[in-house]
mmCIF file of all heavy atoms in Angstrom:
data_model
loop_
_atom_site.group_PDB
_atom_site.id
_atom_site.type_symbol
_atom_site.label_atom_id
_atom_site.label_comp_id
_atom_site.label_asym_id
_atom_site.label_seq_id
_atom_site.Cartn_x
_atom_site.Cartn_y
_atom_site.Cartn_z
ATOM 1 N N ARG A 956 -23.680 4.544 18.538
ATOM 2 C CA ARG A 956 -23.649 3.812 17.272
ATOM 3 C C ARG A 956 -23.518 2.336 17.596
ATOM 4 O O ARG A 956 -22.503 1.890 18.166
ATOM 5 C CB ARG A 956 -22.486 4.271 16.419
ATOM 6 C CG ARG A 956 -22.477 3.614 15.025
ATOM 7 C CD ARG A 956 -21.345 4.148 14.197
ATOM 8 N NE ARG A 956 -20.053 3.736 14.747
ATOM 9 C CZ ARG A 956 -18.884 4.136 14.242
ATOM 10 N NH1 ARG A 956 -18.854 4.968 13.211
ATOM 11 N NH2 ARG A 956 -17.747 3.713 14.777
ATOM 12 N N PRO A 957 -24.511 1.486 17.295
ATOM 13 C CA PRO A 957 -24.445 0.056 17.657
ATOM 14 C C PRO A 957 -23.423 -0.691 16.795
ATOM 15 O O PRO A 957 -23.395 -0.533 15.571
ATOM 16 C CB PRO A 957 -25.874 -0.427 17.390
ATOM 17 C CG PRO A 957 -26.413 0.516 16.367
ATOM 18 C CD PRO A 957 -25.774 1.835 16.644
ATOM 19 N N ILE A 958 -22.566 -1.514 17.464
ATOM 20 C CA ILE A 958 -21.574 -2.358 16.765
ATOM 21 C C ILE A 958 -21.859 -3.804 17.147
ATOM 22 O O ILE A 958 -21.766 -4.193 18.332
ATOM 23 C CB ILE A 958 -20.133 -1.967 17.147
ATOM 24 C CG1 ILE A 958 -19.864 -0.502 16.760
ATOM 25 C CG2 ILE A 958 -19.125 -2.896 16.479
ATOM 26 C CD1 ILE A 958 -18.516 -0.003 17.191
ATOM 27 N N ALA A 959 -22.217 -4.614 16.174
ATOM 28 C CA ALA A 959 -22.546 -6.024 16.418
ATOM 29 C C ALA A 959 -21.254 -6.815 16.699
ATOM 30 O O ALA A 959 -20.319 -6.842 15.884
ATOM 31 C CB ALA A 959 -23.285 -6.611 15.220
ATOM 32 N N LEU A 960 -21.188 -7.506 17.875
ATOM 33 C CA LEU A 960 -20.001 -8.287 18.277
ATOM 34 C C LEU A 960 -20.152 -9.772 17.961
ATOM 35 O O LEU A 960 -19.215 -10.561 18.190
ATOM 36 C CB LEU A 960 -19.742 -8.103 19.769
ATOM 37 C CG LEU A 960 -19.470 -6.656 20.237
ATOM 38 C CD1 LEU A 960 -19.244 -6.656 21.745
ATOM 39 C CD2 LEU A 960 -18.269 -6.072 19.511
ATOM 40 N N ALA A 961 -21.320 -10.200 17.477
ATOM 41 C CA ALA A 961 -21.585 -11.630 17.262
ATOM 42 C C ALA A 961 -20.563 -12.291 16.343
ATOM 43 O O ALA A 961 -20.049 -13.379 16.667
ATOM 44 C CB ALA A 961 -23.002 -11.818 16.724
ATOM 45 N N PRO A 962 -20.227 -11.693 15.185
ATOM 46 C CA PRO A 962 -19.256 -12.377 14.311
ATOM 47 C C PRO A 962 -17.903 -12.576 14.997
ATOM 48 O O PRO A 962 -17.274 -13.636 14.864
ATOM 49 C CB PRO A 962 -19.153 -11.443 13.109
ATOM 50 C CG PRO A 962 -20.406 -10.645 13.118
ATOM 51 C CD PRO A 962 -20.742 -10.466 14.561
ATOM 52 N N TYR A 963 -17.467 -11.548 15.726
ATOM 53 C CA TYR A 963 -16.168 -11.648 16.389
ATOM 54 C C TYR A 963 -16.201 -12.686 17.516
ATOM 55 O O TYR A 963 -15.264 -13.497 17.693
ATOM 56 C CB TYR A 963 -15.752 -10.284 16.932
ATOM 57 C CG TYR A 963 -15.819 -9.184 15.897
ATOM 58 C CD1 TYR A 963 -16.850 -8.256 15.906
ATOM 59 C CD2 TYR A 963 -14.840 -9.088 14.906
ATOM 60 C CE1 TYR A 963 -16.917 -7.246 14.971
ATOM 61 C CE2 TYR A 963 -14.889 -8.081 13.959
ATOM 62 C CZ TYR A 963 -15.940 -7.164 13.989
ATOM 63 O OH TYR A 963 -15.997 -6.167 13.036
ATOM 64 N N LEU A 964 -17.275 -12.674 18.303
ATOM 65 C CA LEU A 964 -17.384 -13.632 19.407
ATOM 66 C C LEU A 964 -17.455 -15.066 18.884
ATOM 67 O O LEU A 964 -16.876 -15.995 19.473
ATOM 68 C CB LEU A 964 -18.623 -13.311 20.244
ATOM 69 C CG LEU A 964 -18.543 -12.012 21.073
ATOM 70 C CD1 LEU A 964 -19.906 -11.705 21.689
ATOM 71 C CD2 LEU A 964 -17.482 -12.155 22.160
ATOM 72 N N ALA A 965 -18.188 -15.256 17.763
ATOM 73 C CA ALA A 965 -18.282 -16.617 17.203
ATOM 74 C C ALA A 965 -16.910 -17.101 16.757
ATOM 75 O O ALA A 965 -16.517 -18.258 17.002
ATOM 76 C CB ALA A 965 -19.263 -16.618 16.041
ATOM 77 N N ALA A 966 -16.157 -16.210 16.091
ATOM 78 C CA ALA A 966 -14.822 -16.611 15.610
ATOM 79 C C ALA A 966 -13.888 -16.888 16.780
ATOM 80 O O ALA A 966 -13.160 -17.896 16.802
ATOM 81 C CB ALA A 966 -14.267 -15.504 14.718
ATOM 82 N N VAL A 967 -13.904 -15.989 17.782
ATOM 83 C CA VAL A 967 -13.024 -16.190 18.944
ATOM 84 C C VAL A 967 -13.423 -17.445 19.705
ATOM 85 O O VAL A 967 -12.578 -18.253 20.144
ATOM 86 C CB VAL A 967 -13.065 -14.936 19.839
ATOM 87 C CG1 VAL A 967 -12.343 -15.212 21.159
ATOM 88 C CG2 VAL A 967 -12.454 -13.752 19.119
ATOM 89 N N GLY A 968 -14.745 -17.635 19.880
ATOM 90 C CA GLY A 968 -15.208 -18.823 20.600
ATOM 91 C C GLY A 968 -14.809 -20.105 19.900
ATOM 92 O O GLY A 968 -14.357 -21.082 20.540
ATOM 93 N N ALA A 969 -14.990 -20.142 18.593
ATOM 94 C CA ALA A 969 -14.600 -21.353 17.839
ATOM 95 C C ALA A 969 -13.098 -21.603 17.951
ATOM 96 O O ALA A 969 -12.647 -22.752 18.088
ATOM 97 C CB ALA A 969 -15.023 -21.190 16.385
ATOM 98 N N ALA A 970 -12.322 -20.502 17.899
ATOM 99 C CA ALA A 970 -10.863 -20.648 17.991
ATOM 100 C C ALA A 970 -10.461 -21.233 19.342
ATOM 101 O O ALA A 970 -9.614 -22.142 19.437
ATOM 102 C CB ALA A 970 -10.201 -19.303 17.747
ATOM 103 N N PHE A 971 -11.063 -20.732 20.440
ATOM 104 C CA PHE A 971 -10.725 -21.231 21.774
ATOM 105 C C PHE A 971 -11.114 -22.693 21.914
ATOM 106 O O PHE A 971 -10.362 -23.508 22.480
ATOM 107 C CB PHE A 971 -11.413 -20.374 22.842
ATOM 108 C CG PHE A 971 -10.576 -19.228 23.318
ATOM 109 C CD1 PHE A 971 -10.715 -17.968 22.762
ATOM 110 C CD2 PHE A 971 -9.641 -19.410 24.332
ATOM 111 C CE1 PHE A 971 -9.943 -16.911 23.201
ATOM 112 C CE2 PHE A 971 -8.875 -18.348 24.775
ATOM 113 C CZ PHE A 971 -9.005 -17.091 24.207
ATOM 114 N N VAL A 972 -12.286 -23.050 21.431
ATOM 115 C CA VAL A 972 -12.703 -24.458 21.533
ATOM 116 C C VAL A 972 -11.756 -25.360 20.746
ATOM 117 O O VAL A 972 -11.340 -26.437 21.204
ATOM 118 C CB VAL A 972 -14.151 -24.602 21.042
ATOM 119 C CG1 VAL A 972 -14.532 -26.090 20.930
ATOM 120 C CG2 VAL A 972 -15.113 -23.896 21.992
ATOM 121 N N LEU A 973 -11.402 -24.910 19.553
ATOM 122 C CA LEU A 973 -10.497 -25.706 18.717
ATOM 123 C C LEU A 973 -9.137 -25.873 19.385
ATOM 124 O O LEU A 973 -8.569 -26.991 19.443
ATOM 125 C CB LEU A 973 -10.349 -25.043 17.348
ATOM 126 C CG LEU A 973 -9.424 -25.771 16.356
ATOM 127 C CD1 LEU A 973 -9.943 -27.181 16.072
ATOM 128 C CD2 LEU A 973 -9.298 -24.953 15.060
ATOM 129 N N VAL A 974 -8.597 -24.782 19.906
ATOM 130 C CA VAL A 974 -7.288 -24.862 20.580
ATOM 131 C C VAL A 974 -7.379 -25.771 21.796
ATOM 132 O O VAL A 974 -6.458 -26.571 22.100
ATOM 133 C CB VAL A 974 -6.795 -23.451 20.957
ATOM 134 C CG1 VAL A 974 -5.549 -23.542 21.844
ATOM 135 C CG2 VAL A 974 -6.511 -22.640 19.703
ATOM 136 N N GLY A 975 -8.520 -25.712 22.544
ATOM 137 C CA GLY A 975 -8.697 -26.584 23.710
ATOM 138 C C GLY A 975 -8.712 -28.043 23.322
ATOM 139 O O GLY A 975 -8.122 -28.898 24.007
ATOM 140 N N LEU A 976 -9.380 -28.360 22.214
ATOM 141 C CA LEU A 976 -9.420 -29.750 21.748
ATOM 142 C C LEU A 976 -8.034 -30.238 21.330
ATOM 143 O O LEU A 976 -7.633 -31.372 21.614
ATOM 144 C CB LEU A 976 -10.409 -29.881 20.579
ATOM 145 C CG LEU A 976 -11.898 -29.720 20.933
ATOM 146 C CD1 LEU A 976 -12.759 -29.711 19.676
ATOM 147 C CD2 LEU A 976 -12.349 -30.821 21.885
ATOM 148 N N VAL A 977 -7.318 -29.350 20.620
ATOM 149 C CA VAL A 977 -5.959 -29.729 20.194
ATOM 150 C C VAL A 977 -5.087 -29.999 21.419
ATOM 151 O O VAL A 977 -4.311 -30.959 21.477
ATOM 152 C CB VAL A 977 -5.353 -28.635 19.300
ATOM 153 C CG1 VAL A 977 -3.868 -28.906 19.038
ATOM 154 C CG2 VAL A 977 -6.126 -28.550 17.986
#
Side-chain angles (χ1 to χ4, degrees):
R956 185 177 67 184
I958 300 176
L960 300 180
Y963 308 104
L964 290 172
V967 171
F971 269 95
V972 171
L973 180 60
V974 171
L976 290 174
V977 171

